[in-house]
Amino acid sequence: MTTTVRHVHMRELGYCNRGARAFFARHGLSWADFLREGIDGDSLRATGDAMAARVVEHAQQQEGAGHGQQ
């Protein structure tokens, strides 16, 4: 199952926008698209970044708890 990570997931973990925007730029990911549509968790995991993996896990837990955002 594909997990969509949304901005709210990053905020729930206390990730700051400045750092997240820099992360997206470093990895060639669109911050604007992410804010509009979210991002596939597999794309974040592919970066190999531990904080990215953590937010994917958090999003999966939220989906499992019925807190998924449409």
Side-chain angles (χ1 to χ4, degrees):
M1 173 179 7
T2 299
T3 298
T4 299
V5 175
R6 301 195 183 281
H7 186 252
V8 66
H9 297 126
M10 288 187 169
R11 298 303 294 162
E12 288 170 346
L13 292 179
Y15 293 2
C16 70
N17 284 336
R18 180 182 293 182
R21 279 192 305 267
F23 170 86
F24 273 68
R26 267 194 317 276
H27 293 282
L29 303 170
S30 171
W31 177 252
D33 287 349
F34 167 68
L35 291 177
R36 262 192 318 275
E37 304 164 13
I39 189 169
D40 179 71
D42 291 338
S43 296
L44 286 181
R45 282 188 197 262
T47 67
D49 184 88
M51 289 179 73
R54 183 172 176 226
V55 77
V56 174
E57 290 170 16
H58 176 70
Q60 288 172 331
Q61 290 171 354
Q62 292 299 308
E63 283 181 355
H67 297 126
Q69 301 257 335
Q70 295 295 321

